[in-house]
């Protein structure tokens, strides 16, 4: 094998992940260059903790989009980063609990009846933002950035391209539906003259990413901690997926406790620099299954490539020129897909919603999360995803399960 083969394969893996990696910070207002840097650093830290045994790449987590949007609007980016560091600590604590109590501990604390509706809330809670951006408005709908008719045409083209590539494409292209949608939408935006290149012209070739130091605000921390539930469970699914692809049991070696801790430390490190929290990327797992190269060193080169590109100032500026309708069209599919993951969790695990206990947990969680329920005493308040996450866990722990068991035994 050529000495250049591993670096080239590493760069290819970053290309597969690139669309999703940069879309998340673009939606939330974070710096794309910082996201590239923290994806690279996070992956290297993950490899250090897991003894470089798992061929997986970590980058921007979509599960945190809604909480980050709310956090940035309410407390600002530094305080939001402090909350995300706390969410990363939850991963580390879960990893410690798994090491002490075994893998089944996660399934007892976070069964599908808890995780499913929380993930659904994360996806559907973002629906208005996606539609507003697809119509050429800001995420909150307060102002118009692109004429509605033109915005709708571009957003639908981006959306349809993403769908067509995801369903009908073959080979490596099939793994890049988001990037394909961005390219088509961007080309149409260029044709209609709504792309402003002045930031790219003004940007230097070499530039430091816009790092942001975290601040610690107790409300932001309490808000973010429950959000870690969904990606923690998603992490387990991703580790099982890469285990099946590589024909190795990574749950046992290096162990789920190490992979969870690695993901948590990566998220803490990302928030330290002002980047989005990290998660394992299933797109890259798909690319690995296609290339059949299970060497974790490839992911080391993917991480190094991401870190190098983070310091290319013109690349970061180019990402900022992507018009709102392009992102809005893709988000219509993306956020719906997040909600579908939660729904699939309920279906795959055969959660019986005819059982009053399960119906109560799922129903209350969905209404609290989507309806915007809020509890507050003085300055202390809980709402949205954090509230529905806590409510789902408490209801699962407190509501008796024996009625369900008796019913099953008959």
């Amino acid at each position: 094998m050529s000495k250049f083969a591993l670096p080239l394969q590493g760069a290819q893996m970053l290309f597969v992940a690139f669309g999703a990696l940069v879309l998340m910070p673009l939606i939330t207002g974070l710096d794309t260059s910082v996201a590239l840097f923290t994806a690279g650093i996070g992956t290297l830290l993950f490899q250090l903790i897991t003894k470089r045994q798992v061929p997986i790449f970590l980058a921007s987590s979509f599960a945190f989009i809604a909480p980050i949007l709310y956090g940035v609007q309410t407390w600002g980016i530094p305080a939001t980063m402090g909350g995300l560091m706390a969410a990363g600590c939850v991963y580390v604590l879960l990893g410690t609990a798994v090491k002490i109590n075994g893998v089944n501990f996660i399934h007892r604390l976070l069964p599908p009846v808890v995780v499913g509706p929380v993930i659904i809330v994360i996806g559907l809670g973002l629906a208005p933002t996606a539609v507003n951006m697809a119509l050429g408005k800001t995420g909150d709908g307060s102002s118009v950035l692109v004429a509605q008719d033109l915005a709708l045409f571009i957003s639908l083209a981006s959306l349809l391209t993403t769908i067509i590539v995801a369903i009908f494409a073959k080979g490596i292209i099939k793994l890049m539906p988001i990037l394909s949608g961005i390219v088509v939408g961007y080309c149409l935006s260029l044709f209609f003259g709504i792309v402003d290149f002045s930031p790219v012209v003004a940007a230097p070739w070499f530039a430091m990413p816009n790092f942001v130091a975290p601040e610690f605000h107790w409300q932001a921390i309490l808000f973010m901690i429950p959000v870690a539930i969904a990606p923690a469970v998603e992490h387990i699914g991703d580790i099982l997926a890469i285990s099946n692809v590589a024909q190795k049991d990574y749950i046992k070696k290096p162990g789920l406790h190490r992979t969870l801790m690695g993901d948590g430390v990566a998220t803490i490190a990302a928030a330290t620099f002002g980047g989005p929290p990290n998660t394992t990327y299933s797109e890259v797992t798909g690319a690995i299954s296609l290339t059949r190269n299970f060497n974790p060193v490839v992911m080391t080169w993917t991480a190094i490539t991401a870190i190098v590109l983070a310091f290319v100032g013109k690349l970061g500026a180019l990402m900022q020129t992507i018009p709102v309708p392009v992102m809005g069209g893709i988000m219509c599919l993306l956020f719906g897909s997040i909600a579908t993951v939660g729904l699939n969790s309920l279906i795959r695990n055969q959660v019986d919603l005819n059982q009053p206990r399960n119906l109560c947990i799922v129903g209350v969680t969905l209404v609290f999360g989507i309806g915007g329920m809020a509890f507050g005493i003085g300055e202390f308040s809980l709402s949205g995803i954090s509230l529905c996450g806590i409510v789902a866990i408490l209801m699962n722990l407190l509501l008796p399960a024996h009625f369900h068991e008796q019913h099953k035994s008959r």
Side-chain angles (χ1 to χ4, degrees), residues 36 58 72 101 157 170 247 271 283 309 318-319 338 362 367 373:
L36 277 165
L58 279 72
V72 170
N101 301 301
K170 303 293 184 183
Q247 296 297 302
E283 297 98 321
L309 289 179
L318 183 64
M319 294 299 103
I338 294 172
V362 174
V367 171
M373 176 64 78

Side-chain angles (χ1 to χ4, degrees), residues 4-90:
F4 297 111
L6 287 176
L8 286 174
Q9 288 179 6
Q12 176 181 259
M13 292 300 174
L14 181 62
F15 189 65
V16 170
F18 192 81
L21 194 164
V22 301
L23 183 64
M24 194 275 198
L26 286 171
I27 294 168
T28 55
L30 302 181
D31 190 280
T32 53
S33 296
V34 175
L36 277 165
F37 179 83
T38 54
I41 292 295
T43 300
L44 294 178
L45 287 171
F46 179 86
Q47 290 196 327
L48 179 66
I49 291 170
T50 59
K51 301 180 179 180
R52 199 157 75 173
Q53 295 184 42
V54 188
I56 209 160
F57 181 69
L58 279 72
S60 314
S61 171
F62 287 122
F64 283 90
I65 291 177
I68 291 176
L69 284 169
Y70 181 83
V72 170
Q73 182 181 0
T74 308
W75 302 291
I77 292 178
T80 300
M81 292 300 121
L84 292 172
M85 289 183 73
C89 291
V90 172

